[in-house]
């Protein structure tokens, strides 16, 4: 018996995003071999999206970019993750949007939970800095975005950027798990 292969293209060269996508697909499709490749993809939004709408748009733009680049349809799924921040009723928070597109289907999205941000951090973001750079500066780190991210630092690594992205991707994969209910 031949094991079926699922090929995914992740719209980022960041190893955290690649690993999150790989883990999510392996959990959702445990009877398949998942092959995961990466592609740098432009978000079309600011490097630090400052609201939910831009964050979601960035994920959609990245996933569509990958689909357009795959002219020979070598991949089964395109996956994008876009982190952003916003100021909600209960304060500033960071979160991420996930976008998953099947080669011949619609985009399904998921969203991570909010991580509350300290007011001083959000103020720096409002002045044009990126969250990863602010976290690097405050915690004397280097390239935190390719490690645990702000999530790892602010939760003492009880959760990480990768773990949160993996969970949100699994949620976005629900329409593929139960395609009979979603009409996929």
């Amino acid at each position: 018996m031949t094991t079926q292969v699922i090929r995914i293209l992740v719209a980022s060269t960041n190893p955290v995003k690649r690993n999150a996508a790989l883990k999510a697909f392996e959990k959702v499709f445990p009877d398949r071999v998942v092959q995961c490749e990466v592609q740098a993809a432009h978000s079309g939004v600011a490097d630090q999206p400052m609201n939910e709408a831009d964050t979601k748009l960035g994920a959609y733009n990245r996933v569509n970019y990958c689909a357009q680049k795959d002219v020979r349809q070598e991949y089964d799924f395109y996956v994008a993750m876009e982190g952003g921040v916003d100021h909600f009723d209960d304060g500033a928070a960071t979160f991420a949007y996930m976008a998953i597109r099947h080669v011949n289907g619609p985009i399904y999205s998921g969203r991570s939970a909010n991580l509350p941000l300290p007011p001083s951090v959000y103020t720096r973001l409002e002045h044009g800095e990126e969250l990863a750079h602010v976290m690097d500066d405050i915690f004397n780190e280097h390239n935190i975005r390719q490690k645990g991210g702000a999530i790892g630092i602010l939760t003492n690594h009880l959760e990480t950027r990768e773990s949160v992205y993996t969970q949100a991707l699994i949620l976005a994969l629900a329409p593929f798990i139960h395609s009979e209910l979603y009409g996929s």
Side-chain angles (χ1 to χ4, degrees):
M1 182 168 91
T2 304
T3 304
Q4 203 171 17
V5 175
I6 295 177
R7 296 197 67 216
I8 61 174
L9 182 61
V10 177
S12 175
T13 59
N14 186 321
V16 168
K17 292 180 178 182
R18 181 201 177 278
N19 292 342
L22 182 61
K23 286 180 181 177
F25 274 78
E26 286 176 341
K27 282 185 176 186
V28 169
F29 302 105
D31 58 334
R32 311 271 181 88
V33 172
V34 179
Q35 294 178 348
C36 183
E37 294 183 34
V38 297
Q39 165 74 55
H42 299 290
S43 69
V45 299
D47 289 340
Q48 179 58 73
M50 294 296 292
N51 59 57
E52 279 195 279
D54 283 351
T55 307
K56 186 175 183 180
L57 177 61
Y60 273 58
N61 287 346
R62 288 180 193 272
V63 85
N64 283 328
Y65 178 87
C66 283
Q68 291 167 358
K69 293 294 267 187
D70 184 27
V71 293
R72 291 184 287 169
Q73 294 188 337
E74 296 178 41
Y75 300 94
D76 302 301
F77 291 93
Y78 313 101
V79 181
M81 293 150 258
E82 185 74 22
V85 299
D86 207 337
H87 197 280
F88 300 98
D89 291 342
D90 55 352
T94 185
F95 53 89
Y97 267 95
M98 314 293 128
I100 300 173
R101 180 175 169 180
H102 188 268
V103 66
N104 293 315
I107 297 173
Y108 289 103
S109 64
R111 187 186 177 287
S112 74
N114 282 356
L115 172 71
L117 291 174
S120 62
V121 170
Y122 188 71
T123 298
R124 289 178 65 175
L125 302 178
E126 288 181 305
H127 287 98
E129 293 185 68
E130 286 185 58
L131 181 58
H133 299 148
V134 173
M135 292 288 103
D136 282 346
D137 181 50
I138 291 171
F139 289 94
N140 197 28
E141 288 281 341
H142 175 69
N143 202 11
I144 196 67
R145 76 177 67 213
Q146 291 192 4
K147 299 176 186 170
I151 296 164
I153 286 180
L154 294 175
T155 66
N156 288 339
H157 299 281
L158 294 171
E159 292 293 339
T160 64
R161 188 177 190 209
E162 184 178 308
S163 69
V164 169
Y165 283 16
T166 300
Q167 181 191 49
L169 285 165
I170 291 170
L171 298 178
L173 282 164
F176 302 103
I177 297 169
H178 292 284
S179 58
E180 74 282 1
L181 299 174
Y182 289 87
S184 301

